Amino acid sequence: PDPSKNLEVARDFIDRWKGTSELIIPSLFCHSPITCSQRTLKRAMEICKSEQLPMQIHLAETIEEVDTIVQRHGKRPPMYLFDLGVLNESLIAVHCVHLEREDMDLVEECGTRVVHCPESNMKLASGICPAGQMVEMGIRMGLGTDGCASNNDLDMFGEMDSAAKLAKVFAHDPTVLRAQEVLEMATVGGAHVLGLAGEIGSIQVGNKADIIVVDLDRPHLQPIYDPISTIVYSANGADVRDVIIDGKVVMRNRELRTVDTEEVMWKVEKIAQKIS
């Protein structure tokens, strides 16, 4: 309610949640370079660095954002954040749709991590992120959905499919952003982006047991010539049979064990009625 207290509230948020659970890691999110003041951006990054936590921001999501920053400050959004001391290895930049080569070079040099949200970008007509080019440059990239306001199903399998195909359309090259690269973005790439590589994102000794089992015995997934290609281009969230989070089975044979789905759907329907 009082924007002047935003950083105070942010600090309280971190203090309240940090260390409470191995499954919860707080982070600060500044919406974008045009909706947050320079003071907010700089101080938020200082707080995150002092707490060794990532900071998140929407970056170059729309043409309007880029044009506004150029008009106000005479520089493109990545350079604007760089000059503020915000574009660095602690920053997670979401969307990055309208980046030119010089912008991508700067992002790569600073070690800034990127989250690609292809379906949100399509629904909002923001544009197509040059994800294939960034992957080739070695920029750390993860895959995201954005929120339900701009992406209805939040299905990471659909996100993989869209990411792979949009990159090919953007580059006019069907070989750009191979299925293996997209699967890595959705798993170990996401872990790197969050600063959790070596803990999650891959199945190996020492990592948390975060595992899903995909039921491939389905008509739309047959025949299987390449399992990775099948997962990226043909599977969807409903094909997940079992889910294990940090060694705990939370879904078995498509039945959630920790949530009463009927109660949740009833509550959501009540909320929807109020909104309507």
Side-chain angles (χ1 to χ4, degrees), residues 33-257:
I34 58 173
T35 56
C36 293
S37 68
Q38 293 187 5
R39 173 184 176 273
T40 295
L41 293 170
K42 291 192 288 187
R43 184 68 186 121
M45 176 54 73
E46 290 171 3
I47 292 172
C48 287
K49 279 198 163 187
S50 69
E51 296 288 344
Q52 296 184 305
L53 295 171
M55 174 177 149
Q56 303 173 55
I57 193 168
H58 287 178
L59 178 62
E61 179 181 3
T62 65
I63 293 175
E64 291 76 15
E65 175 199 325
V66 175
D67 289 346
T68 299
I69 294 296
V70 170
Q71 290 169 9
R72 288 181 184 175
H73 306 286
K75 60 192 77 171
R76 294 177 59 80
M79 182 58 73
Y80 170 67
L81 293 184
F82 176 79
D83 288 344
L84 291 178
V86 174
L87 193 77
N88 54 49
E89 70 285 350
S90 296
L91 186 68
I92 299 174
V94 186
H95 295 299
C96 294
V97 175
H98 300 284
L99 295 187
E100 295 183 350
R101 179 61 194 235
E102 63 187 33
D103 300 324
M104 288 184 273
D105 286 338
L106 185 59
V107 167
E108 193 275 331
E109 289 170 11
C110 292
T112 298
R113 296 158 280 175
V114 173
V115 179
H116 180 28
C117 302
E119 293 191 359
S120 171
N121 298 155
M122 285 193 286
K123 185 172 184 181
L124 297 180
S126 299
I128 302 176
C129 167
Q133 190 173 355
M134 283 194 274
V135 168
E136 288 181 4
M137 292 174 62
I139 294 174
R140 285 290 187 192
M141 292 193 71
L143 198 61
T145 62
D146 207 335
C148 53
S150 62
N151 188 344
N152 298 64
D153 58 20
L154 306 184
D155 186 337
M156 286 291 287
F157 289 86
E159 220 66 45
M160 287 193 290
D161 181 47
S162 296
K165 291 174 180 174
L166 271 179
K168 294 164 175 49
V169 170
F170 183 81
H172 301 285
D173 182 352
T175 68
V176 169
L177 209 57
R178 296 173 294 109
Q180 173 73 38
E181 293 173 313
V182 177
L183 183 61
E184 289 176 359
M185 287 171 63
T187 53
V188 68
H192 277 288
V193 165
L194 294 172
L196 297 174
E199 295 184 49
I200 62 172
S202 58
I203 301 173
Q204 57 186 354
V205 175
N207 274 19
K208 295 182 185 298
D210 285 2
I211 301 168
I212 61 173
V213 178
V214 180
D215 181 5
L216 297 177
D217 190 21
R218 317 277 281 181
H220 64 282
L221 299 178
Q222 297 293 328
I224 298 174
Y225 298 107
D226 178 350
I228 292 177
S229 182
T230 298
I231 290 292
V232 170
Y233 291 113
S234 301
N236 59 63
D239 295 320
V240 176
R241 190 189 70 198
D242 308 304
V243 177
I244 302 169
I245 300 177
D246 196 17
K248 181 180 180 181
V249 178
V250 298
M251 185 169 77
R252 183 70 178 269
N253 291 325
R254 296 189 173 83
E255 181 179 344
L256 287 169
R257 294 186 161 194

